[in-house]
Amino acid sequence: MVPSTAHHRQGLPGIVCPVEHTVVLIPGDGIGPEVAQAAVLVVEASGAQVNWLPRQAGLAAIEAGESQVLPEATLEAIRTHQVALKGPCTTPVGEGFTSVNVALRKHLGLFGAVRPVRTMPGVTTRYSDAQVDLVIVRENTEGLYAGIENQISEGVVTSLKVVTESASRRIARFAFEYAHSRQRRKVTVLHKANIMKMGDGLFLQCAREEAKAWEGKVEFESRIIDAGCMQLVQSPQAFDVLLCENLYGDVMSDLCAGFVGGLGVTPGANFGDEGRAVFEAVHGSAPDIAGQDRANPLALIMSAVMLLRHLAETTQDVTCTTCADRIRDAYNACLLAGETTADLGGSLGTMAFADAICKRLS
Ligand code: NAI
């Protein structure tokens, strides 16, 4: 993939970016390279000055001759430059190598995932009347994703769920800080502490203790996750920020994507302690449509918009905010005009959708 063209590098009139930002670009595999190319095109056309540093991960890394699915050079580039835009990476089901995505988050200490889910203009769903505006905050480093599985005897396997007080406190604090900084009104923790009294019990206790520090600023409530799911599908607008441990956060992300048009419109970001942030869509590598120019690039483009807003916050470069707003306005205009990929009812291919967004940048 060629990350930039001279044409798009020039950006829009009226934008003079004072800084060039280096962003590690991990295309991933499956539909990853297609949607990454589309996202790069749109970011560059917006006028944002991004110096893309391509690095490999997943099956693409092996195909490129690397010996590991998560090469050290990829991790090192993110440690150095702090920010990355990442396409999805395939994880074989029931066999083969362990998840590159989980490993990347663990290696880089990317403990908190933020996944906004909002009703999109012009996208009709069963929930079109509901004005959904949720944010899932997912603990990224432990729970069942610790990957500690053992065969105890023939036909008997255990999977260990790891819950630590430090990681639970850290994600609870992160959720409240995020909610407060974004003028969100409420954090709801989802748990199953009635059954996993110790593990989920500890997660819940840490959330409750953190909530005390935010009394009068951010509301707090807890829901047993099964009842919470029922309430969520009945009335998604009753929820605001959902605080979840790792597996629940993964499941809730896809469930909530269904409210607003599916995985093509749900972006995400993974944040770490030392200012590191990796932006990636909620969706996976979608092998069923890979290489067919059918993938919706919008979720990764929206993730790139989150990245630009993050750069604006961390570097005080206000032009990043301008570029982010321009991209958002342009994709909203496309959605309203029905210029989309098939998953949203349109007829455009991946790059044609990206081109349509570029044309509407103003
Ligand atoms: P998936 O998200 O790749 O696909 C689920 C369904 O949604 C498929 O029918 C797919 O065609 C559709 N879909 C997904 N993204 C789309 C897009 N941008 N535009 C249009 N349709 C889209 O989930 P699945 O099938 O469970 O996983 C496939 C692979 O992706 C697995 O190996 C999984 O481990 C990996 N994965 C990687 C993630 C990451 O890199 N962060 C996240 C989730 C899954």
Side-chain angles (χ1 to χ4, degrees), residues 5-300:
T5 65
H7 168 71
H8 286 107
R9 267 273 176 230
Q10 287 164 10
L12 291 173
I15 291 238
V16 181
C17 292
V19 197
E20 188 174 65
H21 304 279
T22 298
V23 175
V24 179
L25 177 70
I26 304 171
D29 54 53
I31 60 169
E34 300 166 62
V35 292
Q37 189 175 3
V40 165
L41 185 80
V42 171
V43 170
E44 296 200 345
S46 78
Q49 291 298 300
V50 173
N51 170 34
W52 302 102
L53 192 62
R55 288 289 181 272
Q56 297 296 345
L59 296 172
I62 303 297
E63 278 161 21
E66 298 281 354
S67 57
Q68 316 236 327
V69 281
L70 185 53
E72 184 53 35
T74 302
L75 292 170
E76 201 44 48
I78 302 173
R79 286 191 194 104
T80 304
H81 298 287
Q82 298 285 78
V83 275
L85 183 66
K86 175 186 166 295
C89 296
T90 300
T91 311
V93 175
E95 58 180 14
F97 58 84
T98 54
S99 169
V100 175
N101 310 302
V102 172
L104 188 122
R105 293 166 196 159
K106 277 194 203 161
H107 277 294
L108 296 171
L110 298 165
F111 67 85
V114 170
R115 294 164 160 194
V117 178
R118 288 196 191 92
T119 298
M120 306 292 288
V123 178
T124 307
T125 73
R126 289 171 192 274
Y127 287 85
S128 289
D129 297 338
Q131 282 308 316
V132 178
D133 184 4
L134 295 167
V135 179
I136 293 149
V137 173
R138 169 186 177 189
E139 204 292 319
N140 251 348
T141 62
E142 50 183 40
L144 281 165
Y145 287 66
I148 306 171
E149 295 196 309
N150 291 296
Q151 177 161 355
I152 304 302
S153 60
E154 190 59 32
V156 182
V157 167
T158 58
S159 298
L160 275 186
K161 179 165 178 168
V162 177
V163 185
T164 66
E165 186 177 340
S166 58
S168 303
R169 279 194 194 289
R170 182 175 60 177
I171 195 69
R173 188 172 315 124
F174 178 83
F176 278 95
E177 281 171 358
Y178 176 86
H180 190 247
S181 69
R182 301 291 193 282
Q183 289 85 45
R184 294 265 168 185
R185 74 193 149 83
K186 184 171 72 173
V187 171
T188 304
V189 64
L190 297 171
H191 66 87
K192 192 74 185 173
N194 49 332
I195 303 299
M196 283 164 278
K197 294 177 193 296
M198 294 181 74
D200 278 26
L202 177 57
F203 193 82
L204 174 61
Q205 181 197 328
C206 290
R208 279 186 176 143
E209 285 171 11
E210 183 63 25
K212 287 190 190 130
W214 298 89
E215 268 172 10
K217 293 186 218 139
V218 182
E219 285 173 47
F220 172 70
E221 63 182 19
S222 61
R223 290 281 181 277
I224 293 178
I225 187 155
D226 41 353
C229 281
M230 188 272 293
Q231 291 170 358
L232 195 63
V233 294
Q234 280 190 329
S235 179
Q237 65 276 25
F239 292 85
D240 192 353
V241 175
L242 300 176
L243 168 59
C244 305
E245 61 81 78
N246 212 338
L247 176 62
Y248 305 155
D250 191 5
V251 176
M252 297 311 289
S253 300
D254 280 42
L255 183 144
C256 291
F259 295 142
V260 296
L263 292 167
V265 294
T266 35
N270 303 293
F271 292 102
D273 256 342
E274 294 155 48
R276 284 181 203 136
V278 174
F279 295 80
E280 62 175 338
V282 171
H283 66 71
S285 55
D288 53 335
I289 57 167
Q292 299 170 29
D293 195 33
R294 284 168 60 197
N296 185 347
L298 187 52
L300 193 64

